[in-house]
Structures are given as C-alpha cells and as structure tokens.
Amino acid sequence: MLPGFASRRRFDDLSEQEVLALAISSEEDDARIYRQYAEHLRDEFPGSAKIFDEMAKEEDEHRRLLIARHTERFGEVIPLIRREHVAGFYNRKPIWLTKNLSLDTIRGEAEAMEREAGKFYTLAAQRSSDASTRELLGDLAAAELGHEKKAEELTGTHLPESEKEEEDRQAHRQFILTWVQPGLAGLMDGSVSTLAPIFATAFATQNPWTTFLVGLAASVGAGISMGFTEAAHDDGVISGRGSPIKRGIASGVMTMLGGLGHALPYLIPDFWTATTIAIIVVFIELWAIAWIQNRFMETPFLRAAFQVVLGGALVFAAGVLIGGG
C-alpha cells in the first residue's frame, strides 16, 4: 500500500463522535481560509474582503454549534481528526496558494468549498442515530448549500453593483498588467528577434539540425534574458504591475515559445520542408500577436497587424538576405 494511505480511515468507518470531530476541524480550517482570502483581497478589493470576513464568522458559528453538540453527547475531549486523516475526503488547497489566485478564482473556490461542505453534512446527517445531532447536521448542510444565496445577500450589503463592477475592472486590469502585457512583450520579442539569426543560419548552412540548435539557443537565451529583465526592472510596488516573479515568468516563457515556434520545424531533416513550415508558423505567430493586441490591449486589429507583420517581414528579410549572401 502507498505510504500515507495505510493510516487513513474510511469515512464509513468513522464513529459519530469522530464525524463530529471531523466537522469541527473542517469548520475551523474553512474559517481560516476565508480570513486568508479576506486578508489577501483587503487592499485591492475591500468589498469582497468584507464578504469573506462575514463568511468566516459564519463558519465560526457552525464550529461553536458543533462543539456544543459534541460536549453534550461525548464530553469536552474532542478527538484529533482532520480531512487528511480520512481516505477520499475532500481537501482544501494549501493556503499559501491564495497569493496566486485571481478574484474570480477565489470566488469560485469559495463556492466549491460550500458545495463540498454541504455534501459532507448531508452524508453525516444520514449516518447519525441521534435525532438532535441529525437535525443539527441537516441544518448545517442546508446552511452550507445555501451559502450561495448568503453570498448574494452579503454582496448586496458589502459590495454594491457599482463597487463590484469596479473590483472586476480592477482585477481585469491587474491581469493585463501582470500577465498579458509582459507575456505579449515576450512573445513579440521571441517571435521577431529570433527570425534573423534562425533564417540567416538556415539559408547560410541549409542544415536543419544546425538551424534548430541555433534557434534553440537563441530562444532559450532570449527567454532567460527577457524574464530576468522584466523581473528586475520593476518591483511592481509603485507601478502596480503586480509580482515581478509572475511578470518575469510570463515574459520569459512567452519569449522562449515565440522563438521555438519557428525553430522546431527544423527538426525535420528536409531543409525546404522545414523552412516552408517555419515560414507558415511565423505567419501564424505574427497574426496571433496582432489578435492579442486587439483583444487585450484594445489596439485596432488592422493597425496591430500592419505593425507586427511589417516588422516581422523586415527582420525575416534581413535574416534571409544575410544568410543567402
């Protein structure tokens, strides 16, 4: 049996006391997660932070009711049992991952948490032999499954429609600044700047493998350079562009992919077949860049296409002329 699984209990094998203990620890964990969400969102999205503060208070109240029921039936000593001790039981993502979640993703995570908790209480209520405990668990199941409505009520209280729209705009803007803008810059640099060395090598040597190695080196080198440059030149504190690590990853990865796109065809042994495919890939890359500019940067498509295609064509022509000469 795999390590770590042998010590896990099946949910069906838990006693009623252990089920209550599991519910108590789960409510405590969920309250902490909601407070972490609130803390993460408080500076940029204060309205949403208030919603998660209120949801954490609700989880605290659920825990209080569960502890009271456990004390009445089994005494004050609560067994230590958590989600990870039960095989197949739903788990929560590590709380430190909240730093990497967008506002929409956090809202979706919260909805999933409530659904999973509701299902747990429904199953737990069905297994309980004590009428009062079954009633409590059933009420908690209804409360968790009804939290979507509760979230709507809290949204109306703490997050008016105008403020919600503003938070959504702010989240979209942050996504553009942190991921799209540096990623687009990297894709443009990787796609365009590597055209000259790759096609110069191709037409100078007419050796696909050599051309691929040059393209691979140029793409990886450009990706590393762009990634470190993006991460180092702006810490995002004043500019509000977000984490330098995220921006560096976006820029570096997209730069490398932009160059590899027209380097990979040279893994094909036939020179002219590889070159024809590489030219087609270049054409697709340049139009993709124009589409991204139009979609996310609101640049008119024809203007973006003209700028990108013209620039790419000039660099491509330079590489062919130098290599052919």
Side-chain angles (χ1 to χ4, degrees), residues 24-51:
I24 291 168
S25 65
S26 297
E27 291 290 353
E28 182 178 2
D29 289 345
D30 286 355
R32 289 179 176 178
I33 291 173
Y34 286 143
R35 288 194 170 89
Q36 186 71 26
Y37 284 162
E39 191 64 25
H40 173 61
L41 298 171
R42 202 172 307 283
D43 291 338
E44 292 184 274
F45 310 109
S48 291
K50 290 178 182 177
I51 291 174

Side-chain angles (χ1 to χ4, degrees), residues 151-171:
E152 291 176 359
E153 294 173 357
L154 293 173
T155 297
T157 302
H158 299 296
L159 196 63
E161 189 62 31
S162 59
E163 189 173 343
K164 183 178 185 299
E165 290 177 358
E166 180 58 31
E167 286 195 356
D168 290 340
R169 283 194 295 269
Q170 177 64 20

